[in-house]
Amino acid sequence: MRHPARLRTHLSALALAGLTLAGTTVALSAQAAEAAGCSVEYSVTSQWSGGFGANVSVTNLGDPVAGWTLTWSYPAGQSVTQAWNATVTQSGAQVSARNVSYNGGIATGASVAFGFNGSWNGSNPAPTSFSLNGTACTGNVGPTTTTTSSSSTTTSTTTTTTTTTTTGPAGSLPSSFRWSSTGAIIGPKPDSTHANVAVKDPSVVYHNGKWHVFASTYTTGYNLMYTSFADWSQASSAPHTYLDRTAIGTGYKAAPHVFFFAPQNLWYLVYQTGDNASYSTTTDIADPQSWSAPKKFYANGMPQIIRDNIGNGYWVDFWVICDTAKCYLFSSDDNGHLYRSETTVANYPNGFTNTVIALQDSDRNRLFEASNVYKVAGKDQYLLVHEAIGSDGRRYFRTWTAPSITGPWTGLADTESNPFARANNVTFPNGAWTRDISHGEMLRSGVDQLMEISPCRLRFLYQGMDPNSGGDYNRLPWRLGLLTQTNSAC
């Protein structure tokens, strides 16, 4: 998004999904009969003498569920001693994890994660089967048996554990993409103090049966808005709340990014404030009045490496993603550079440092702004989505993949002729209302800091505008539309 003035302990890591059990992630997938099915990833995130921490991520492959209970049996006498993001009870070897008030709904293809501490004696093998609401997650993808070795960091004892592993969500990202787009489904809703001309830069999560959308608005300057609805057919009629009427306050705020930081049980709204990356927090995403006042990520302002490379660009579009140990903050400079800073999960949101250039292009238009980085569920793969300006002056997206957040990044669909999303690979059944596929966000399979997406039937909420519009960039009539992938392999 370009504007001329844009300028604890082990507990912290335990709520993270997609982690490893001494180097091996246990993933159990199933498509149950008819409308019931599930995928489970169980991971031991840390282990010490007599104790361990674990994370469980559940993906719903069937019809949406309004409440869930996951059950499994421990094979070696392990016990759960403390849990978060779920209510966990145990009777003998049988364990039952039930949703808490804020994470009971799981949409089709969406995920929910919880973590816990446990005790063990002798060995700590992973469970071999799970059931979600009574449906066994035993998999119709053929399992493979692997033997792996792990060492405790607190003892010299080495144990060998045999685990059964299957893939997460079936299918992989294709090497080229095809999409179908809605019309403009979210546009301005002016009121007495917001004669706004644009809604843009969306961020979206699905939580407790509703889609929660945050976006930039522009009247005489930029600020943020919020809307929510149960179904995308309701998006255009859902009311808007302007966040300058909350503790977030007036003044320049733009390009929001929302997610749930599980180690702290807090929602974070990350956004740009011109001279810094800023954030607000809440315990209730559905209450827009509950967001806290802004705080800055970078105590010393713009890192020197950005000052040295930004040229006449702008520092914009901040994005947070975490793995098992660290959280990373990405940003762009409208000058061909993508930056990455890091801090530990335990220290987040403080301590971002070690800022580096993660990706660069000598043609600033080919690596302009609006980066998203996602974990592909069930795979050791990350997807980077980045906005570019095409040779026709229209916005589009390029993509890369990597085995980790820190790269190395390899082009996937990264050209004008083979883009991730551009007017030439999008159909518009109701008429081509835009030729720009600009700043947006994927519909994630979860809500937390892992930024997971399913590789199947991707959806992307984006900004577009009337192709005949022109003039001052900040006053362009951006609206939001929704892309749905039409060439999914699964």
Side-chain angles (χ1 to χ4, degrees):
M1 121 168 236
R2 179 172 59 85
H3 325 132
R6 288 192 309 189
L7 299 153
R8 130 184 146 148
T9 68
H10 48 258
L11 278 179
S12 296
L14 297 181
L16 304 179
L19 309 181
T20 58
L21 167 55
T24 298
T25 296
V26 179
L28 299 161
S29 301
Q31 178 63 57
E34 298 179 351
C38 51
S39 162
V40 176
E41 291 186 8
Y42 176 100
S43 307
V44 170
T45 58
S46 58
Q47 185 167 295
W48 57 97
S49 179
F52 68 101
N55 186 86
V56 181
S57 178
V58 185
T59 299
N60 176 28
L61 302 179
D63 287 341
V65 297
W68 53 268
T69 299
L70 187 75
T71 56
W72 69 90
S73 177
Y74 271 126
Q78 301 101 311
S79 296
V80 175
T81 58
Q82 179 188 25
W84 49 93
N85 295 338
T87 300
V88 179
T89 58
Q90 185 168 354
S91 177
Q94 301 299 314
V95 183
S96 176
R98 189 176 71 255
N99 67 272
V100 289
S101 61
Y102 53 81
N103 65 359
I106 318 177
T108 302
S111 300
V112 65
F114 61 93
F116 59 88
N117 288 337
S119 63
W120 62 280
N121 184 21
S123 65
N124 187 25
T128 57
S129 63
F130 295 85
S131 292
L132 178 66
N133 292 348
T135 296
C137 300
T138 55
N140 57 9
V141 177
T144 59
T145 300
T146 60
T147 300
T148 59
S149 296
S150 62
S151 299
S152 168
T153 58
T154 56
T155 71
S156 59
T157 303
T158 299
T159 61
T160 299
T161 304
T162 300
T163 61
T164 299
T165 305
T166 64
T167 62
S172 300
L173 296 172
S175 58
S176 63
F177 295 84
R178 296 290 181 270
W179 307 89
S180 177
S181 178
T182 65
I185 55 175
I186 300 179
K189 291 187 181 297
D191 64 16
S192 59
T193 57
H194 298 86
N196 47 314
V197 298
V199 175
K200 55 181 310 207
D201 314 320
S203 183
V204 55
V205 292
Y206 184 83
H207 177 68
N208 273 0
K210 286 189 174 182
W211 296 100
H212 300 267
V213 176
F214 297 79
S216 306
T217 63
Y218 185 85
T219 302
T220 56
Y222 281 93
N223 207 271
L224 306 175
M225 59 77 66
Y226 163 78
T227 186
S228 66
F229 41 86
D231 187 84
W232 287 99
S233 63
Q234 303 166 350
S236 61
S237 60
H240 293 184
T241 298
Y242 295 102
L243 299 186
D244 58 1
R245 294 171 174 167
T246 72
I248 289 175
T250 58
Y252 179 81
K253 315 287 192 310
H257 174 214
V258 68
F259 63 93
F260 184 70
F261 191 62
Q264 297 173 1
N265 285 329
L266 280 177
W267 290 94
Y268 274 76
L269 187 64
V270 176
Y271 45 90
Q272 60 194 49
T273 47
D275 63 344
N276 213 311
S278 298
Y279 66 90
S280 296
T281 62
T282 183
T283 57
D284 184 1
I285 192 176
D287 179 6
Q289 298 297 326
S290 65
W291 288 104
S292 67
K295 294 183 179 180
K296 295 181 178 181
F297 279 109
Y298 293 93
N300 299 316
M302 182 185 293
Q304 188 61 46
I305 190 173
I306 302 178
R307 295 182 187 275
D308 293 342
N309 289 278
I310 196 171
N312 62 352
Y314 302 95
W315 191 26
V316 296
D317 298 337
F318 299 98
W319 180 270
V320 173
I321 180 173
C322 306
D323 59 20
T324 62
K326 292 183 178 181
C327 290
Y328 300 88
L329 181 55
F330 286 84
S331 59
S332 301
D333 68 0
D334 289 351
N335 196 35
H337 303 96
L338 175 67
Y339 302 98
R340 185 188 71 242
S341 304
E342 64 182 52
T343 189
T344 64
V345 169
N347 203 30
Y348 179 84
N350 302 307
F352 275 104
T353 186
N354 192 28
T355 303
V356 299
I357 296 175
L359 203 63
Q360 61 184 324
D361 197 303
S362 58
D363 182 347
R364 64 187 296 170
N365 285 344
R366 283 173 47 81
L367 197 71
F368 201 65
E369 58 189 18
S371 69
N372 301 170
V373 182
Y374 301 100
K375 171 70 169 63
V376 180
K379 301 180 183 298
D380 294 324
Q381 185 181 49
Y382 288 83
L383 178 72
L384 165 63
V385 181
H386 204 290
E387 186 178 3
I389 301 176
S391 56
D392 57 358
R394 299 293 179 175
R395 302 297 184 102
Y396 75 102
F397 282 95
R398 306 170 65 201
T399 50
W400 298 257
T401 59
S404 73
I405 298 174
T406 56
W409 296 103
T410 301
L412 177 65
D414 65 337
T415 65
E416 288 192 56
S417 59
N418 181 32
F420 178 67
R422 187 171 178 258
N424 61 345
N425 68 342
V426 176
T427 61
F428 296 87
N430 297 317
W433 64 280
T434 180
R435 283 163 48 200
D436 290 272
I437 309 297
S438 185
H439 193 135
E441 186 177 331
M442 305 283 284
L443 272 56
R444 298 173 237 155
S445 56
V447 301
D448 66 18
Q449 72 284 346
L450 298 178
M451 300 300 151
E452 282 197 339
I453 58 169
S454 168
C456 303
R457 197 171 175 268
L458 301 177
R459 290 188 289 175
F460 188 72
L461 184 64
Y462 73 101
Q463 67 181 37
M465 65 173 175
D466 183 341
N468 297 315
S469 300
D472 176 13
Y473 178 86
N474 295 320
R475 300 193 66 82
L476 293 174
W478 295 103
R479 307 289 187 266
L480 304 186
L482 181 65
L483 299 179
T484 299
Q485 185 189 3
T486 58
N487 69 328
S488 176
C490 45

